[in-house]
Coordinates of all heavy atoms in Angstrom, one line a residue:
H1 N -7.6 51.8 -42.7 CA -6.6 51.2 -43.6 C -5.3 50.9 -42.9 O -4.7 49.9 -43.2 CB -6.3 52.2 -44.7 CG -7.5 52.6 -45.5 ND1 -8.1 51.7 -46.4 CD2 -8.3 53.7 -45.5 CE1 -9.1 52.2 -47.0 NE2 -9.3 53.4 -46.5
S2 N -4.9 51.7 -41.9 CA -3.7 51.5 -41.2 C -3.8 50.2 -40.3 O -2.8 49.5 -40.2 CB -3.4 52.7 -40.3 OG -3.1 53.8 -41.0
M3 N -4.9 50.0 -39.7 CA -5.1 48.8 -38.9 C -5.0 47.6 -39.8 O -4.4 46.6 -39.4 CB -6.4 48.8 -38.2 CG -6.5 49.9 -37.1 SD -7.9 49.8 -36.1 CE -7.7 48.3 -35.3
R4 N -5.6 47.6 -40.9 CA -5.6 46.4 -41.8 C -4.1 46.2 -42.2 O -3.7 45.0 -42.2 CB -6.4 46.7 -43.1 CG -6.5 45.5 -44.0 CD -7.4 45.7 -45.1 NE -7.9 47.1 -45.0 CZ -8.6 47.8 -45.8 NH1 -9.0 47.2 -46.9 NH2 -9.0 49.0 -45.6
E5 N -3.3 47.2 -42.5 CA -1.9 47.1 -42.9 C -1.1 46.5 -41.7 O -0.1 45.8 -42.0 CB -1.4 48.4 -43.3 CG -1.9 48.9 -44.7 CD -1.4 50.2 -45.1 OE1 -0.4 50.7 -44.5 OE2 -2.0 50.8 -46.0
A6 N -1.6 46.8 -40.5 CA -0.9 46.3 -39.3 C -1.4 44.9 -38.9 O -0.9 44.3 -38.0 CB -1.0 47.2 -38.1
G7 N -2.4 44.3 -39.7 CA -2.9 43.0 -39.4 C -3.9 43.0 -38.2 O -4.0 42.0 -37.6
K8 N -4.5 44.1 -37.9 CA -5.4 44.3 -36.8 C -6.8 44.5 -37.3 O -7.0 44.9 -38.4 CB -5.0 45.4 -35.9 CG -3.6 45.3 -35.3 CD -3.6 44.2 -34.3 CE -2.2 44.1 -33.7 NZ -2.0 43.0 -32.8
K9 N -7.8 44.1 -36.5 CA -9.2 44.3 -36.8 C -9.8 45.4 -35.8 O -9.4 45.5 -34.7 CB -10.0 43.0 -36.7 CG -9.5 42.0 -37.7 CD -10.3 40.7 -37.6 CE -9.7 39.7 -38.6 NZ -10.4 38.5 -38.6
V10 N -10.8 46.1 -36.3 CA -11.5 47.1 -35.5 C -12.0 46.5 -34.2 O -11.9 47.2 -33.1 CB -12.6 47.8 -36.3 CG1 -13.3 48.8 -35.5 CG2 -12.0 48.5 -37.5
N11 N -12.5 45.3 -34.2 CA -13.1 44.8 -33.0 C -12.0 44.3 -32.0 O -12.4 43.8 -30.9 CB -14.1 43.6 -33.3 CG -13.5 42.5 -34.0 OD1 -12.3 42.5 -34.2 ND2 -14.2 41.5 -34.3
E12 N -10.8 44.5 -32.3 CA -9.7 44.2 -31.3 C -9.4 45.4 -30.4 O -8.7 45.3 -29.5 CB -8.4 43.8 -32.1 CG -8.5 42.5 -32.8 CD -7.3 42.1 -33.5 OE1 -6.4 41.5 -32.8 OE2 -7.1 42.4 -34.7
I13 N -9.9 46.6 -30.8 CA -9.7 47.8 -30.0 C -10.5 47.7 -28.7 O -11.7 47.3 -28.7 CB -10.1 49.0 -30.8 CG1 -9.2 49.2 -32.0 CG2 -10.1 50.3 -29.9 CD1 -9.7 50.4 -32.9
D14 N -9.8 47.9 -27.5 CA -10.6 47.8 -26.3 C -10.7 49.1 -25.5 O -11.2 49.1 -24.4 CB -10.0 46.7 -25.4 CG -8.5 46.8 -25.2 OD1 -7.9 47.9 -25.5 OD2 -7.9 45.9 -24.6
A15 N -10.1 50.2 -26.0 CA -10.3 51.5 -25.4 C -9.8 52.5 -26.4 O -9.1 52.2 -27.3 CB -9.5 51.6 -24.1
V16 N -10.3 53.8 -26.2 CA -10.0 54.9 -27.1 C -9.7 56.1 -26.4 O -10.4 56.4 -25.3 CB -11.2 55.1 -28.1 CG1 -10.9 56.3 -29.0 CG2 -11.5 53.9 -28.9
Y17 N -8.7 56.9 -26.8 CA -8.5 58.3 -26.3 C -8.7 59.2 -27.5 O -8.1 59.1 -28.5 CB -7.1 58.4 -25.7 CG -6.9 59.9 -25.4 CD1 -7.5 60.5 -24.4 CD2 -6.0 60.6 -26.2 CE1 -7.3 61.9 -24.1 CE2 -5.8 62.0 -25.9 CZ -6.5 62.6 -24.9 OH -6.3 63.9 -24.6
I18 N -9.6 60.2 -27.3 CA -9.8 61.2 -28.3 C -9.2 62.5 -27.8 O -9.7 63.0 -26.8 CB -11.3 61.4 -28.7 CG1 -11.9 60.1 -29.2 CG2 -11.5 62.5 -29.6 CD1 -11.4 59.6 -30.5
S19 N -8.3 63.1 -28.5 CA -7.6 64.3 -28.1 C -8.4 65.5 -28.4 O -8.4 66.5 -27.7 CB -6.2 64.4 -28.6 OG -6.2 64.3 -30.1
H20 N -9.0 65.5 -29.6 CA -9.8 66.7 -30.1 C -10.7 66.3 -31.3 O -10.6 65.1 -31.7 CB -8.9 67.9 -30.4 CG -7.9 67.6 -31.5 ND1 -6.8 66.8 -31.3 CD2 -7.9 68.0 -32.8 CE1 -6.1 66.8 -32.5 NE2 -6.8 67.5 -33.4
D21 N -11.5 67.2 -31.7 CA -12.5 66.8 -32.7 C -12.2 66.9 -34.2 O -13.0 66.8 -35.0 CB -13.8 67.6 -32.4 CG -13.6 69.1 -32.6 OD1 -12.5 69.5 -32.7 OD2 -14.6 69.8 -32.6
H22 N -10.9 67.0 -34.5 CA -10.6 67.0 -35.9 C -10.9 65.5 -36.4 O -10.7 64.6 -35.7 CB -9.1 67.3 -36.1 CG -8.8 68.8 -35.9 ND1 -7.5 69.3 -36.0 CD2 -9.6 69.8 -35.7 CE1 -7.6 70.5 -35.8 NE2 -8.8 70.9 -35.6
A23 N -11.3 65.5 -37.7 CA -11.7 64.2 -38.3 C -10.6 63.1 -38.2 O -10.9 61.9 -38.0 CB -12.1 64.4 -39.7
D24 N -9.3 63.5 -38.3 CA -8.2 62.6 -38.3 C -8.0 62.0 -36.8 O -7.2 61.1 -36.6 CB -7.0 63.1 -38.9 CG -6.4 64.3 -38.2 OD1 -7.2 65.1 -37.6 OD2 -5.2 64.6 -38.2
H25 N -8.7 62.6 -35.9 CA -8.6 62.1 -34.5 C -9.9 61.5 -34.0 O -9.8 60.5 -33.2 CB -8.1 63.3 -33.6 CG -6.8 63.8 -33.9 ND1 -5.7 63.4 -33.1 CD2 -6.3 64.6 -34.8 CE1 -4.6 63.9 -33.6 NE2 -5.0 64.7 -34.7
A26 N -11.0 62.1 -34.3 CA -12.3 61.6 -33.8 C -13.1 60.9 -34.9 O -14.1 60.3 -34.6 CB -13.1 62.7 -33.2
G27 N -12.7 61.0 -36.1 CA -13.5 60.3 -37.2 C -13.4 58.8 -37.0 O -12.4 58.3 -36.5
G28 N -14.4 58.1 -37.4 CA -14.4 56.7 -37.4 C -15.0 56.1 -36.1 O -15.1 54.9 -36.0
L29 N -15.5 56.9 -35.2 CA -16.1 56.4 -34.0 C -17.3 55.6 -34.3 O -17.6 54.6 -33.6 CB -16.4 57.5 -33.0 CG -15.2 58.1 -32.3 CD1 -15.6 59.3 -31.4 CD2 -14.5 57.1 -31.4
E30 N -18.1 56.0 -35.3 CA -19.3 55.2 -35.7 C -18.9 53.8 -36.1 O -19.5 52.8 -35.7 CB -20.1 55.9 -36.8 CG -20.7 57.2 -36.4 CD -19.7 58.4 -36.6 OE1 -18.6 58.2 -36.9 OE2 -20.2 59.6 -36.4
C31 N -17.9 53.7 -37.0 CA -17.4 52.4 -37.4 C -17.0 51.6 -36.3 O -17.3 50.4 -36.2 CB -16.3 52.6 -38.5 SG -15.6 51.1 -39.0
L32 N -16.2 52.2 -35.4 CA -15.7 51.5 -34.2 C -16.9 51.0 -33.3 O -16.9 49.8 -32.9 CB -14.9 52.4 -33.4 CG -14.2 51.9 -32.1 CD1 -13.3 50.7 -32.5 CD2 -13.5 53.0 -31.4
A33 N -17.9 51.8 -33.1 CA -19.1 51.4 -32.3 C -19.8 50.3 -32.9 O -20.1 49.3 -32.2 CB -20.0 52.6 -32.2
F34 N -20.1 50.3 -34.2 CA -20.8 49.3 -34.9 C -20.1 47.9 -34.9 O -20.6 46.9 -34.9 CB -21.3 49.7 -36.3 CG -22.4 50.7 -36.3 CD1 -22.3 51.8 -37.1 CD2 -23.4 50.6 -35.4 CE1 -23.2 52.8 -37.1 CE2 -24.4 51.6 -35.4 CZ -24.3 52.7 -36.2
N35 N -18.7 48.0 -35.1 CA -17.9 46.8 -35.1 C -17.7 46.2 -33.7 O -17.2 45.1 -33.6 CB -16.6 47.1 -35.8 CG -16.7 47.1 -37.3 OD1 -16.7 46.0 -37.9 ND2 -16.8 48.2 -37.9
N36 N -18.1 46.9 -32.7 CA -17.9 46.5 -31.3 C -19.3 46.4 -30.6 O -19.3 46.5 -29.4 CB -16.9 47.3 -30.6 CG -15.5 47.1 -31.0 OD1 -14.9 46.1 -30.6 ND2 -15.0 48.0 -31.8
L37 N -20.4 46.3 -31.4 CA -21.7 46.4 -30.8 C -21.8 45.3 -29.7 O -21.5 44.2 -29.9 CB -22.7 46.1 -31.9 CG -24.2 46.6 -31.6 CD1 -24.2 48.1 -31.2 CD2 -25.0 46.4 -32.8
G38 N -22.3 45.7 -28.6 CA -22.4 44.8 -27.4 C -21.2 44.8 -26.5 O -21.3 44.3 -25.4
K39 N -20.2 45.6 -26.9 CA -19.0 45.7 -26.1 C -18.8 47.2 -25.9 O -18.4 47.9 -26.8 CB -17.8 45.1 -26.9 CG -16.5 45.2 -26.3 CD -15.4 44.6 -27.1 CE -14.1 45.2 -27.0 NZ -13.1 44.6 -28.0
R40 N -19.2 47.6 -24.7 CA -19.1 49.1 -24.4 C -17.7 49.5 -24.1 O -17.1 49.2 -23.1 CB -20.0 49.3 -23.2 CG -20.3 50.7 -22.9 CD -21.5 50.8 -21.9 NE -21.6 52.2 -21.5 CZ -21.3 52.6 -20.2 NH1 -21.0 51.7 -19.3 NH2 -21.4 53.8 -19.9
L41 N -17.1 50.3 -25.1 CA -15.7 50.6 -25.0 C -15.4 51.9 -24.1 O -16.2 52.8 -24.2 CB -15.2 50.9 -26.4 CG -15.1 49.8 -27.4 CD1 -14.7 50.3 -28.8 CD2 -14.2 48.7 -27.0
P42 N -14.4 51.8 -23.3 CA -14.0 53.1 -22.6 C -13.5 54.1 -23.6 O -12.7 53.8 -24.5 CB -12.8 52.6 -21.7 CG -12.9 51.1 -21.7 CD -13.6 50.7 -22.9
L43 N -14.0 55.3 -23.5 CA -13.7 56.4 -24.5 C -13.2 57.6 -23.6 O -14.0 58.3 -23.0 CB -14.9 56.8 -25.3 CG -14.8 57.9 -26.3 CD1 -13.6 57.6 -27.3 CD2 -16.1 58.1 -27.1
F44 N -11.9 57.7 -23.5 CA -11.3 58.8 -22.7 C -11.2 60.0 -23.6 O -10.9 60.0 -24.8 CB -9.9 58.4 -22.3 CG -9.8 57.2 -21.4 CD1 -9.6 55.9 -22.0 CD2 -9.9 57.3 -20.0 CE1 -9.5 54.8 -21.1 CE2 -9.8 56.2 -19.2 CZ -9.6 54.9 -19.8
C45 N -11.5 61.2 -22.9 CA -11.4 62.5 -23.6 C -11.2 63.6 -22.6 O -11.6 63.3 -21.4 CB -12.6 62.8 -24.5 SG -14.1 63.0 -23.6
H46 N -10.7 64.7 -23.0 CA -10.6 65.8 -22.0 C -12.0 66.2 -21.5 O -13.0 66.2 -22.3 CB -9.9 67.0 -22.6 CG -9.5 68.0 -21.6 ND1 -10.4 69.0 -21.2 CD2 -8.4 68.2 -20.9 CE1 -9.8 69.7 -20.3 NE2 -8.6 69.3 -20.1
A47 N -12.1 66.6 -20.3 CA -13.4 66.9 -19.7 C -14.1 68.0 -20.4 O -15.3 68.0 -20.5 CB -13.1 67.3 -18.2
D48 N -13.3 69.0 -21.0 CA -14.0 70.1 -21.7 C -14.6 69.6 -23.0 O -15.4 70.3 -23.6 CB -12.9 71.2 -22.1 CG -12.4 71.9 -20.9 OD1 -13.1 71.8 -19.8 OD2 -11.4 72.6 -21.0
Y49 N -14.2 68.5 -23.5 CA -14.7 67.9 -24.8 C -15.8 66.9 -24.6 O -16.4 66.5 -25.6 CB -13.4 67.3 -25.5 CG -13.6 66.8 -26.8 CD1 -14.2 67.5 -27.8 CD2 -13.2 65.5 -27.1 CE1 -14.4 67.0 -29.1 CE2 -13.4 64.9 -28.4 CZ -14.0 65.7 -29.4 OH -14.2 65.2 -30.6
A50 N -16.0 66.4 -23.4 CA -16.9 65.3 -23.2 C -18.3 65.6 -23.6 O -19.0 64.7 -24.3 CB -16.9 64.8 -21.7
G51 N -18.9 66.7 -23.3 CA -20.2 67.1 -23.7 C -20.4 67.2 -25.2 O -21.3 66.7 -25.8
Y52 N -19.4 67.8 -25.9 CA -19.4 67.9 -27.3 C -19.4 66.5 -28.0 O -20.1 66.2 -28.9 CB -18.3 68.7 -27.8 CG -18.1 68.7 -29.3 CD1 -18.9 69.6 -30.1 CD2 -17.2 67.9 -30.0 CE1 -18.8 69.6 -31.5 CE2 -17.1 67.9 -31.3 CZ -17.9 68.7 -32.1 OH -17.8 68.7 -33.5
L53 N -18.5 65.7 -27.4 CA -18.4 64.3 -28.0 C -19.7 63.5 -27.8 O -20.1 62.9 -28.7 CB -17.2 63.6 -27.3 CG -16.8 62.2 -27.8 CD1 -16.4 62.3 -29.2 CD2 -15.7 61.7 -26.9
R54 N -20.3 63.7 -26.7 CA -21.6 63.0 -26.4 C -22.7 63.5 -27.4 O -23.4 62.7 -28.0 CB -22.1 63.2 -25.0 CG -23.3 62.5 -24.6 CD -23.6 62.7 -23.1 NE -22.6 62.2 -22.3 CZ -22.5 60.9 -22.0 NH1 -23.3 60.0 -22.5 NH2 -21.5 60.4 -21.2
D55 N -22.7 64.8 -27.7 CA -23.7 65.4 -28.6 C -23.4 64.8 -30.0 O -24.3 64.5 -30.8 CB -23.6 66.9 -28.6 CG -24.2 67.5 -27.4 OD1 -24.9 66.8 -26.6 OD2 -23.9 68.7 -27.2
M56 N -22.1 64.8 -30.4 CA -21.7 64.3 -31.7 C -22.2 62.8 -31.9 O -22.7 62.5 -32.9 CB -20.2 64.4 -31.9 CG -19.7 64.0 -33.3 SD -17.9 64.0 -33.4 CE -17.4 62.6 -32.5
L57 N -21.9 62.0 -30.9 CA -22.3 60.6 -31.0 C -23.8 60.4 -30.9 O -24.3 59.4 -31.4 CB -21.7 59.8 -29.8 CG -20.1 59.7 -29.9 CD1 -19.6 59.1 -28.6 CD2 -19.7 58.8 -31.1
S58 N -24.6 61.4 -30.4 CA -26.0 61.3 -30.4 C -26.6 61.5 -31.7 O -27.8 61.2 -31.9 CB -26.6 62.3 -29.4 OG -26.2 62.0 -28.1
G59 N -25.9 61.9 -32.7 CA -26.4 62.1 -34.0 C -26.7 60.9 -34.8 O -27.5 60.0 -34.3
A60 N -26.1 60.7 -35.9 CA -26.4 59.5 -36.8 C -26.2 58.2 -36.1 O -26.9 57.2 -36.3 CB -25.6 59.6 -38.1
L61 N -25.2 58.1 -35.3 CA -24.9 56.8 -34.6 C -26.0 56.3 -33.8 O -26.5 55.2 -34.0 CB -23.6 57.0 -33.7 CG -23.2 55.8 -32.9 CD1 -22.8 54.6 -33.7 CD2 -22.1 56.2 -31.9
C62 N -26.6 57.2 -33.0 CA -27.7 56.7 -32.1 C -29.0 56.6 -32.8 O -29.9 55.9 -32.4 CB -27.8 57.7 -30.9 SG -26.4 57.5 -29.8
R63 N -29.2 57.3 -33.9 CA -30.4 57.2 -34.7 C -30.4 55.9 -35.5 O -31.4 55.4 -36.0 CB -30.6 58.4 -35.7 CG -31.0 59.6 -34.9 CD -31.5 60.7 -35.9 NE -30.4 61.1 -36.8 CZ -29.6 62.1 -36.6 NH1 -29.6 62.8 -35.5 NH2 -28.7 62.5 -37.6
S64 N -29.2 55.3 -35.6 CA -29.1 54.0 -36.4 C -29.5 52.8 -35.6 O -29.8 51.7 -36.2 CB -27.7 53.9 -36.9 OG -27.3 55.0 -37.8
V65 N -29.5 52.9 -34.3 CA -29.8 51.7 -33.5 C -30.9 52.2 -32.6 O -30.8 53.1 -31.8 CB -28.6 51.3 -32.7 CG1 -29.0 50.1 -31.7 CG2 -27.4 50.8 -33.6
E66 N -32.0 51.4 -32.6 CA -33.2 51.8 -31.8 C -32.9 51.9 -30.3 O -32.3 51.1 -29.7 CB -34.3 50.8 -32.0 CG -35.7 51.2 -31.4 CD -36.8 50.2 -31.7 OE1 -36.7 49.5 -32.8 OE2 -37.7 50.1 -31.0
A67 N -33.4 53.1 -29.7 CA -33.2 53.4 -28.3 C -31.8 53.5 -27.9 O -31.5 53.3 -26.7 CB -34.0 52.3 -27.5
A68 N -30.9 53.7 -28.8 CA -29.4 53.8 -28.4 C -29.1 55.3 -27.9 O -29.7 56.2 -28.3 CB -28.6 53.5 -29.6
T69 N -28.2 55.3 -27.1 CA -27.6 56.6 -26.6 C -26.0 56.4 -26.7 O -25.6 55.3 -27.0 CB -27.9 56.9 -25.1 OG1 -27.2 55.9 -24.3 CG2 -29.4 56.8 -24.9
P70 N -25.3 57.4 -26.6 CA -23.8 57.2 -26.6 C -23.3 56.2 -25.6 O -22.4 55.5 -25.9 CB -23.3 58.6 -26.3 CG -24.3 59.6 -26.8 CD -25.6 58.9 -26.5
D71 N -24.0 56.1 -24.5 CA -23.6 55.1 -23.5 C -23.9 53.7 -23.9 O -23.4 52.7 -23.3 CB -24.4 55.4 -22.2 CG -23.9 56.7 -21.6 OD1 -22.8 57.1 -21.7 OD2 -24.8 57.5 -21.1
T72 N -24.7 53.5 -25.0 CA -24.9 52.1 -25.5 C -23.6 51.6 -26.1 O -23.3 50.4 -26.0 CB -25.9 52.2 -26.6 OG1 -27.2 52.7 -26.1 CG2 -26.2 50.8 -27.2
F73 N -22.8 52.5 -26.6 CA -21.6 52.1 -27.3 C -20.3 52.3 -26.6 O -19.3 51.6 -26.7 CB -21.5 52.8 -28.7 CG -22.7 52.7 -29.5 CD1 -23.7 53.7 -29.5 CD2 -22.9 51.5 -30.3 CE1 -24.8 53.5 -30.3 CE2 -24.0 51.4 -31.1 CZ -25.0 52.4 -31.1
F74 N -20.3 53.4 -25.8 CA -19.0 53.9 -25.1 C -19.3 54.2 -23.7 O -20.3 54.7 -23.3 CB -18.5 55.1 -25.8 CG -18.1 54.9 -27.3 CD1 -18.9 55.4 -28.3 CD2 -16.9 54.2 -27.6 CE1 -18.6 55.2 -29.6 CE2 -16.6 54.0 -28.9 CZ -17.4 54.5 -29.9
E75 N -18.3 54.0 -22.9 CA -18.2 54.6 -21.5 C -17.4 55.8 -21.6 O -16.1 55.8 -21.7 CB -17.6 53.6 -20.5 CG -17.5 54.2 -19.2 CD -16.6 53.3 -18.2 OE1 -16.2 52.2 -18.6 OE2 -16.4 53.7 -17.1
I76 N -18.0 57.0 -21.8 CA -17.3 58.2 -21.9 C -16.7 58.6 -20.6 O -17.4 58.8 -19.6 CB -18.2 59.4 -22.5 CG1 -18.7 58.9 -23.9 CG2 -17.4 60.7 -22.6 CD1 -19.7 59.9 -24.5
I77 N -15.3 58.7 -20.6 CA -14.6 59.0 -19.3 C -13.9 60.3 -19.5 O -12.8 60.4 -20.1 CB -13.6 57.9 -19.0 CG1 -14.3 56.5 -19.0 CG2 -12.8 58.2 -17.7 CD1 -13.4 55.3 -18.9
P78 N -14.4 61.4 -18.9 CA -13.7 62.7 -19.0 C -12.5 62.7 -18.1 O -12.5 62.2 -17.0 CB -14.8 63.7 -18.4 CG -16.0 62.9 -18.3 CD -15.7 61.5 -18.2
V79 N -11.4 63.3 -18.6 CA -10.2 63.4 -17.8 C -9.7 64.8 -17.9 O -10.0 65.6 -18.8 CB -9.1 62.4 -18.4 CG1 -9.5 61.0 -18.1 CG2 -8.8 62.6 -19.8
E80 N -8.9 65.2 -16.9 CA -8.4 66.6 -16.8 C -6.9 66.7 -17.2 O -6.6 67.3 -18.2 CB -8.6 67.1 -15.4 CG -10.0 67.4 -15.0 CD -10.5 68.7 -15.6 OE1 -9.7 69.6 -16.0 OE2 -11.8 68.9 -15.6
K81 N -6.1 66.0 -16.4 CA -4.6 66.1 -16.7 C -4.0 64.8 -16.9 O -2.9 64.7 -17.6 CB -4.0 66.8 -15.5 CG -4.4 68.2 -15.3 CD -3.8 68.9 -14.1 CE -4.3 70.3 -14.0 NZ -3.6 71.0 -13.0
E82 N -4.5 63.7 -16.4 CA -3.9 62.4 -16.5 C -5.0 61.3 -16.3 O -6.0 61.6 -15.7 CB -2.7 62.2 -15.6 CG -3.1 62.3 -14.2 CD -1.8 62.4 -13.3 OE1 -0.8 62.9 -13.6 OE2 -2.0 61.8 -12.2
F83 N -4.6 60.1 -16.7 CA -5.5 59.0 -16.5 C -4.7 57.7 -16.5 O -3.6 57.6 -17.2 CB -6.7 58.9 -17.4 CG -6.4 58.7 -18.8 CD1 -6.5 57.4 -19.4 CD2 -6.1 59.8 -19.7 CE1 -6.2 57.3 -20.8 CE2 -5.9 59.6 -21.0 CZ -5.9 58.3 -21.6
D84 N -5.2 56.7 -15.9 CA -4.5 55.3 -15.9 C -5.4 54.4 -16.7 O -6.6 54.5 -16.6 CB -4.4 54.8 -14.5 CG -3.4 55.6 -13.7 OD1 -2.3 55.9 -14.2 OD2 -3.7 56.0 -12.5
W85 N -4.8 53.5 -17.4 CA -5.5 52.5 -18.2 C -4.6 51.3 -18.3 O -3.5 51.3 -18.8 CB -5.9 53.0 -19.6 CG -6.5 52.0 -20.4 CD1 -7.8 51.5 -20.3 CD2 -5.9 51.3 -21.5 NE1 -8.0 50.5 -21.3 CE2 -6.9 50.4 -22.0 CE3 -4.7 51.3 -22.1 CZ2 -6.6 49.5 -23.1 CZ3 -4.4 50.5 -23.2 CH2 -5.4 49.6 -23.6
E86 N -5.1 50.2 -17.7 CA -4.4 48.9 -17.8 C -3.0 49.0 -17.4 O -2.1 48.4 -18.1 CB -4.6 48.2 -19.2 CG -6.1 47.9 -19.4 CD -6.2 46.9 -20.6 OE1 -5.2 46.6 -21.3 OE2 -7.4 46.6 -20.9
G87 N -2.7 49.7 -16.3 CA -1.3 49.8 -15.8 C -0.5 50.8 -16.5 O 0.7 51.0 -16.1
F88 N -1.0 51.6 -17.4 CA -0.3 52.6 -18.1 C -0.8 54.0 -17.6 O -2.0 54.1 -17.5 CB -0.4 52.6 -19.6 CG 0.3 51.4 -20.2 CD1 -0.5 50.2 -20.5 CD2 1.6 51.4 -20.5 CE1 0.1 49.1 -21.0 CE2 2.2 50.3 -21.1 CZ 1.5 49.1 -21.3
K89 N 0.1 54.9 -17.3 CA -0.3 56.3 -16.9 C -0.2 57.2 -18.1 O 0.9 57.3 -18.7 CB 0.5 56.8 -15.8 CG 0.1 58.1 -15.2 CD 0.9 58.4 -14.0 CE 0.2 59.7 -13.4 NZ 0.6 59.8 -12.0
F90 N -1.2 57.9 -18.5 CA -1.2 58.8 -19.6 C -1.3 60.3 -19.0 O -2.2 60.5 -18.2 CB -2.4 58.6 -20.5 CG -2.4 57.3 -21.2 CD1 -2.7 56.1 -20.6 CD2 -1.9 57.3 -22.5 CE1 -2.7 54.9 -21.3 CE2 -1.8 56.1 -23.2 CZ -2.2 54.9 -22.6
E91 N -0.5 61.1 -19.5 CA -0.5 62.5 -19.0 C -0.8 63.4 -20.3 O -0.2 63.3 -21.3 CB 0.8 62.9 -18.5 CG 0.9 64.3 -18.0 CD 2.2 64.7 -17.4 OE1 3.0 63.8 -17.0 OE2 2.5 65.9 -17.2
L92 N -1.9 64.2 -20.1 CA -2.3 65.1 -21.2 C -1.3 66.3 -21.3 O -1.1 66.9 -20.3 CB -3.7 65.6 -21.0 CG -4.8 64.6 -21.4 CD1 -4.7 63.3 -20.7 CD2 -6.2 65.2 -21.3
V93 N -0.8 66.5 -22.4 CA 0.2 67.6 -22.6 C -0.4 68.6 -23.6 O -0.6 68.2 -24.8 CB 1.5 67.1 -23.1 CG1 2.5 68.2 -23.4 CG2 2.1 66.1 -22.2
P94 N -0.8 69.8 -23.2 CA -1.4 70.8 -24.2 C -0.4 71.1 -25.3 O 0.8 71.4 -25.0 CB -1.7 72.0 -23.3 CG -1.6 71.5 -21.9 CD -0.7 70.4 -21.9
T95 N -0.9 71.2 -26.5 CA 0.0 71.6 -27.6 C -0.9 72.4 -28.5 O -2.1 72.3 -28.5 CB 0.5 70.4 -28.4 OG1 -0.5 69.6 -28.9 CG2 1.4 69.5 -27.5
R96 N -0.3 73.2 -29.4 CA -1.0 74.0 -30.4 C -1.2 73.0 -31.6 O -0.2 72.4 -32.0 CB -0.2 75.2 -30.8 CG -0.2 76.2 -29.7 CD 0.5 77.5 -30.2 NE -0.2 77.9 -31.4 CZ -0.3 79.1 -31.8 NH1 0.3 80.1 -31.1 NH2 -1.0 79.5 -32.9
H97 N -2.4 73.0 -32.1 CA -2.7 72.1 -33.2 C -3.7 72.8 -34.1 O -4.8 73.1 -33.6 CB -3.2 70.8 -32.8 CG -3.5 69.8 -33.9 ND1 -2.5 69.4 -34.8 CD2 -4.6 69.2 -34.2 CE1 -3.1 68.6 -35.6 NE2 -4.3 68.4 -35.3
I98 N -3.4 73.1 -35.3 CA -4.3 73.8 -36.2 C -4.4 73.1 -37.5 O -3.6 72.3 -37.8 CB -3.9 75.3 -36.4 CG1 -2.5 75.4 -36.9 CG2 -4.1 76.1 -35.2 CD1 -2.1 76.7 -37.3

């Protein structure tokens, strides 16, 4: 809804960073994958979260497209403390979030 209000479309997204698995942060990945089918999006996440994220995406998303794996839709890129993307440097800052 926020993207529509901003005049943007889901298929305009060209990379994603997922900070953690709460629905307001990781929800909608299925929609993003299907709207960008054929365009493998970089999906940055903390290294501790990469396996969980891969398992989550292997569920309904991959059962919906024959012979699909999470790698069909995303390039999952585990990061530890920082990462660069298109000339921008991102630094992960631990915070308490409940």
Side-chain angles (χ1 to χ4, degrees):
H1 299 286
S2 298
M3 291 186 66
R4 186 175 1 172
E5 288 176 19
K8 300 292 181 184
K9 296 181 180 179
V10 175
N11 63 359
E12 293 180 84
I13 294 175
D14 55 8
V16 177
Y17 170 72
I18 299 295
S19 58
H20 61 286
D21 63 348
H22 288 176
D24 61 330
H25 294 262
L29 286 175
E30 293 90 352
C31 177
L32 182 63
F34 291 133
N35 278 281
N36 286 285
L37 201 55
K39 177 178 149 186
R40 196 167 166 244
L41 295 175
L43 179 57
F44 297 93
C45 65
H46 191 276
D48 292 344
Y49 182 53
Y52 173 81
L53 186 59
R54 184 175 296 283
D55 290 345
M56 182 184 76
L57 291 169
S58 293
L61 174 63
C62 292
R63 286 192 301 267
S64 299
V65 176
E66 189 174 334
T69 70
D71 296 319
T72 303
F73 306 98
F74 298 103
E75 176 189 0
I76 298 175
I77 304 169
V79 295
E80 290 280 342
K81 296 181 181 187
E82 60 188 37
F83 64 95
D84 294 313
W85 175 74
E86 292 193 358
F88 293 95
K89 185 173 188 161
F90 293 81
E91 183 178 342
L92 280 58
V93 179
T95 60
R96 289 184 58 149
H97 181 60
I98 53 173

